[in-house]
Amino acid sequence: MKHLTDQLIQEYLDSREKKFRIEVEDHAVYCPECQEKLEQYRELYAGLSVETEPILENSFNLSALAGIEQLELKRSRKVLATAVSVVGGLSFLIASLIYFNLLSWARAVSGAKSIFSVAVSPVLETVSTLVKELNGNLEILAFAALALILFHLLDHSLVRQKINRI
Amino acid sequence: MAGLSYTKDRMTDEHKLIQDILEGDKKAFSELIDRYKRLVSHIVNKMVKSSDDRLDLSQDIFIKVYQNLGDFNRQCKLSSWIGRIAYNTTLNHLGKKQAILWDDISPDLSMDTLPAMSRLLEDEIASNDIAAKIRDEIGLLPSPYNVLVALYHLDEMTYQEIAEITGMPDGTVKSYLFRARQLLRERLAQKYKLEDWKE
């Protein structure tokens, strides 16, 4: 007599299809060996469907949401830090231009009839006009640039601290 | 037909939940966590032993879900998508600690490949509680067998859904599940008589 295979019994228990049911149940009625195997599989399947390990508790939701909020905060601080560093950098550049009197060099370049003059001149003229207007307030501009740089450094260190804490 | 309608309703409900989350509704995300934390727990618990690591990892998984929800293809099942994130994140976590690769796991799972039972487990088995016996045997199953068994029997997923999560072909999922259950039955049958099983 051909006994039921493990595969056939598992397929029967997985699908409960009629074709398996007839083959498995009809055979098991007359074969104690296969009947025992079938019962063992039934018990095993019942045991496998029982939850044996803890599922995440309700407090988990709050900690996950807190994690998301920290992530969003981190992201917004990063955007702010980038904006501050761009503004700070530009201010520093302009202050440097004034301090080192590079404008005269720029004028010399723009005055030269080089192949680049056409493209470069309008930009230099704009910078020149801007610097002329700001020239009287050199100390204020330098102070503003310094303040922005300090603010950026402070912000950067705060963000780093926060990231480390996360 | 009723089943189809149920699936359609569930998908509509899920789409609304996703939309609410994308619009910044934190309560909706908490609802999503409630729905899928069981699935995530099953995957993480089977693959990671440390309870602290499990908690951190589960949080990382849900943060990833939140960050990538905008990219979710709504034609797919949300459970499979979240399961895949959970599975891959856990694999990456394990990869950092110990390089476990699919190729390292022998498909020829046999009784000899399972570790010997600890004294503690033997004591527990003496209690004649079939649920405890089966739990102990499942606990000895290596990954990915234990994950596949949990997804199939606890989350009631199909072979195809499990294949989507694990990245394994459907046929491999089916044969791994078959081998795992066969091994479990053989080990239990070797140790206990059928009467003991039914106590």
Side-chain angles (χ1 to χ4, degrees):
Chain A
M1 187 169 59
K2 203 178 167 191
H3 289 295
L4 297 174
T5 61
D6 288 80
Q7 188 161 0
L8 185 65
I9 295 175
Q10 287 194 28
E11 279 180 353
Y12 159 69
L13 292 171
D14 280 339
S15 68
R16 296 261 168 195
E17 275 182 37
K18 198 177 176 183
K19 60 175 178 177
F20 296 124
R21 198 179 69 214
I22 294 167
E23 198 175 346
V24 171
E25 289 181 358
D26 282 3
H27 176 87
V29 169
Y30 301 104
C31 177
E33 202 178 315
C34 291
Q35 177 67 44
E36 183 174 344
K37 197 194 253 190
L38 179 61
E39 282 305 310
Q40 286 171 342
Y41 267 116
R42 281 198 175 119
E43 292 295 327
L44 177 64
Y45 269 58
L48 288 171
S49 306
V50 175
E51 202 77 63
T52 55
E53 290 194 78
I55 302 300
L56 294 163
E57 292 172 4
N58 287 339
S59 58
F60 172 80
N61 294 29
L62 291 175
S63 64
L65 288 172
I68 287 165
E69 273 176 25
Q70 278 180 329
L71 195 80
E72 285 177 341
L73 179 74
K74 196 170 77 179
R75 202 179 287 163
S76 63
R77 299 281 296 180
K78 205 173 173 183
V79 170
L80 181 71
T82 308
V84 168
S85 55
V86 168
V87 173
L90 279 173
S91 307
F92 182 74
L93 185 70
I94 293 168
S96 304
L97 277 172
I98 296 164
Y99 185 77
F100 292 109
N101 201 17
L102 289 177
L103 196 63
S104 54
W105 174 81
R107 281 206 193 95
V109 172
S110 82
K113 297 287 179 193
S114 73
I115 51 169
F116 302 107
S117 63
V118 178
V120 174
S121 286
V123 180
L124 287 174
E125 283 307 316
T126 312
V127 174
S128 160
T129 317
L130 186 71
V131 171
K132 256 185 215 165
E133 284 178 14
L134 290 171
N135 214 8
N137 303 308
L138 186 61
E139 291 85 0
I140 296 170
L141 191 69
F143 179 75
L146 198 64
L148 278 168
I149 291 164
L150 283 173
F151 179 67
H152 169 62
L153 288 173
L154 185 69
D155 185 72
H156 187 69
S157 73
L158 283 174
V159 170
R160 288 296 290 263
Q161 275 180 17
K162 200 133 200 165
I163 291 169
N164 288 341
R165 252 184 275 136
I166 292 168
Chain B
M1 205 63 190
L4 191 69
S5 156
Y6 168 77
T7 310
K8 214 173 174 182
D9 287 350
R10 190 179 165 86
M11 280 189 88
T12 313
D13 181 42
E14 275 183 352
H15 289 171
K16 191 187 174 311
L17 188 70
I18 292 167
Q19 198 53 45
D20 289 347
I21 295 167
L22 292 176
E23 285 167 11
D25 185 349
K26 294 285 193 296
K27 272 188 183 171
F29 191 67
S30 186
E31 165 73 24
L32 181 136
I33 294 175
D34 279 335
R35 285 189 195 182
Y36 294 105
K37 64 183 172 189
R38 195 165 167 265
L39 168 67
V40 169
S41 291
H42 290 155
I43 294 171
V44 173
N45 290 355
K46 295 294 174 200
M47 296 171 79
V48 178
K49 298 295 164 210
S50 154
S51 55
D52 286 345
D53 281 0
R54 285 175 179 180
L55 207 61
D56 290 344
L57 205 52
S58 301
Q59 187 166 330
D60 285 351
I61 289 163
F62 279 108
I63 288 174
K64 273 189 186 172
V65 167
Y66 184 83
Q67 284 178 312
N68 296 294
L69 202 58
D71 300 330
F72 170 64
N73 177 0
R74 299 190 190 189
Q75 302 302 313
C76 299
K77 270 191 96 174
L78 189 58
S79 55
S80 302
W81 184 73
I82 292 176
R84 195 162 63 240
I85 290 177
Y87 189 76
N88 289 337
T89 307
T90 312
L91 269 189
N92 285 340
H93 167 84
L94 290 174
K96 284 175 193 164
K97 293 192 167 181
Q98 61 200 66
I100 292 180
L101 299 172
W102 285 115
D103 298 346
D104 296 337
I105 298 160
S106 166
D108 302 320
L109 183 68
S110 72
M111 291 201 198
D112 302 332
T113 60
L114 294 188
M117 301 193 86
S118 68
R119 185 80 233 156
L120 186 73
L121 288 175
E122 284 178 34
D123 290 345
E124 201 175 336
I125 278 169
S127 71
N128 268 341
D129 174 2
I130 184 61
K133 289 170 195 166
I134 293 174
R135 186 181 66 222
D136 293 336
E137 290 297 333
I138 296 168
L140 295 174
L141 276 177
S143 280
Y145 297 98
N146 53 3
V147 180
L148 302 185
V149 165
L151 291 176
Y152 189 84
H153 288 277
L154 295 175
D155 293 296
E156 295 176 352
M157 288 188 151
T158 62
Y159 298 132
Q160 198 189 347
E161 285 167 337
I162 298 172
E164 278 173 27
I165 288 175
T166 58
M168 299 163 84
D170 294 14
T172 309
V173 171
K174 196 176 174 182
S175 72
Y176 272 38
L177 263 172
F178 166 73
R179 287 291 300 130
R181 289 186 298 223
Q182 187 184 26
L183 179 81
L184 283 171
R185 188 198 67 79
E186 283 170 2
R187 279 178 68 96
L188 287 162
Q190 204 176 52
K191 287 176 188 162
Y192 316 103
K193 291 176 183 168
L194 185 62
E195 295 76 51
D196 296 334
W197 287 50
K198 291 182 170 177
E199 273 178 32

